[in-house]
Amino acid sequence: MATYSTTVTPPAEPASMPKDGADKIHHVLNGGRLTGFKNPYPSWGTSHGPWEVFGAIFWPMLSGELKFPDTSPPTVPVVKPHFLASRTASDKLRATWLGHACYYVEFASGLRALFDPVFEDRCAPVSFMGPKRYTPKPCDIADLPLVDAVFISHSHYDHLSHGSVLEVQKHHPRAHFFVGKGLESWFRKTGIENVTELDWWEDAELKLTLDKTDKVEGEGSGGDAPAEISARISCTPCQHTSARSLSDRDTTLWCSWGVKSGGKSVWFGGDTGYRRVPKVPKGADDYGPEYEALPHCPQFKQIGDLRGPFDLGLIPIGAYHPRAAFSAMHANPFDSVEIFRDTKCARAMGIHWGTWALTMEEVLEPPRLLRDALKRRGIPETGAFDVCDIGESVEF
């Protein structure tokens, strides 16, 4: 087991933030006390009640207009992942997709980061019902050689798993968890003490002090670990919601994350919408002229301007159909390409697809639409914003 010490401190020089971030317009106050959070922009819309969901999803299902997607194999290929042998085994940024929104990123600095780990068969409060994996997990948490930092985007069960975070703590007890404001108490009640919560636009400095023989078994080769590894952590906005029960909706913050270490940077989008789209006629292009004036979330451009550019973006592309029900909180590939451009990512990989059928689009539609969205923007269909097999590693 790796032996090292971890410290998390406020940055020596705080980064700038937009005025609306400084004004905390996403906070919900009751008598001056913070009681929850909200999406503060018109791109979220106003009504997200049960009747709207019924009209957009359940009635079309009853009428036969909407059908559950076919998840029978073959769908997304799953390969056995291979990880680096030591912290010094590569001079590149290396990212491995572990399904849905979970990525394991090996920085050239030696930092090892894990994003939204959920390794259960079902993403639900109970193990016997709820969305079930249609692609197997590529490995177990015990197979990850090192985990220094874990980033949680929000509290939904497909992004935060009680069992998985306990497994991370069991096999990687020195791992430090970074969570949105309000979630720290949940982790401490779970028995995890290495946790830091941040609000949008807050930053932290992570520092690892290592011994000289901090190596792990695996592929590749490398020498002694560096004496110290540092990273700049940025909690950045997104447009979403949170809940783990019927009584805690939006009481904890949803967020994206920026991580910079050793001259390389990653932006993790987690789970987010970009623009709320009303119900449109079947076959209509909701990015066509009739809908181009729909408001979009301005925070992604703020992220690119104030925390970017990034070498790699991990950007959601799935769980979006029907658009009238899900567009405010889930990006489709056309939204994803706009987020990619706004956040100033040099490269990107698609996440939030290929694992659980959370919505009604065909399970292999997101990468097809992604190519169309890139083509529309004049971006090469490969080599800029890509997808990969589950378990596959890509270097940047």
Side-chain angles (χ1 to χ4, degrees), residues 52-335:
E52 182 183 33
V53 174
F54 181 85
I57 302 176
F58 294 109
W59 178 250
M61 287 178 62
L62 291 173
S63 66
E65 182 183 346
L66 269 181
K67 296 181 180 180
F68 287 105
D70 180 8
T71 60
S72 56
T75 54
V76 184
V78 180
V79 299
K80 181 181 178 181
H82 297 281
F83 306 108
L84 298 176
S86 77
R87 294 187 188 272
T88 58
S90 176
D91 60 357
K92 297 182 183 296
L93 185 69
R94 191 170 185 270
T96 305
W97 186 33
L98 300 180
H100 197 55
C102 183
Y103 250 90
Y104 181 72
V105 178
E106 298 164 293
F107 285 79
S109 67
L111 181 73
R112 301 294 182 256
L114 183 63
F115 296 88
D116 278 2
V118 179
F119 283 70
E120 278 71 26
D121 192 39
R122 295 185 186 270
C123 57
V126 293
S127 61
F128 55 86
M129 62 182 298
K132 189 178 188 300
R133 285 180 183 266
Y134 62 85
T135 49
K137 60 185 178 182
C139 66
D140 293 314
I141 290 173
D143 299 323
L144 302 178
L146 290 167
V147 177
D148 302 314
V150 184
F151 297 90
I152 304 296
S153 64
H154 65 294
S155 67
H156 286 160
Y157 285 87
D158 58 322
H159 296 260
L160 174 58
S161 158
H162 180 263
S164 289
V165 297
L166 288 180
E167 278 289 296
V168 172
Q169 184 190 46
K170 175 184 175 181
H171 296 286
H172 306 281
R174 297 181 184 274
H176 198 93
F177 290 79
F178 291 89
V179 303
K181 194 171 181 65
L183 258 180
E184 182 175 330
S185 62
W186 183 91
F187 275 80
R188 294 194 182 278
K189 289 175 183 176
T190 301
I192 295 174
E193 297 294 329
N194 300 333
V195 57
T196 296
E197 70 174 26
L198 297 174
D199 202 350
W200 287 350
W201 301 110
E202 290 183 342
D203 292 55
E205 295 286 347
L206 172 67
K207 183 178 293 185
L208 311 180
T209 303
L210 288 75
D211 68 14
K212 292 184 178 181
T213 57
D214 186 14
K215 300 184 181 69
V216 292
E217 295 180 357
E219 291 193 344
S221 60
D224 291 342
E228 188 173 276
I229 297 171
S230 62
R232 176 79 172 226
I233 311 301
S234 298
C235 180
T236 51
C238 65
Q239 183 171 286
H240 201 58
T241 183
S242 68
R244 291 187 73 78
S245 70
L246 295 175
S247 62
D248 68 342
R249 181 177 173 85
D250 297 347
T251 57
T252 62
L253 185 61
W254 47 96
C255 53
S256 56
W257 293 97
V259 184
K260 297 186 177 184
S261 182
K264 293 289 186 178
S265 57
V266 172
W267 182 72
F268 174 67
D271 196 354
T272 186
Y274 186 69
R275 59 201 284 268
R276 190 179 187 203
V277 178
K279 188 172 183 178
V280 303
K282 188 174 182 179
D285 178 5
D286 65 48
Y287 264 93
E290 185 178 353
Y291 304 101
E292 63 184 5
L294 290 175
H296 64 270
C297 183
Q299 293 172 305
F300 300 102
K301 188 175 187 307
Q302 293 173 345
I303 292 168
D305 290 343
L306 298 176
R307 296 295 186 274
F310 299 94
D311 295 291
L312 172 63
L314 304 173
I315 300 177
I317 64 170
Y320 51 77
H321 183 68
R323 290 279 274 162
F326 295 108
S327 59
M329 65 181 68
H330 287 164
N332 82 348
F334 290 89
D335 300 326

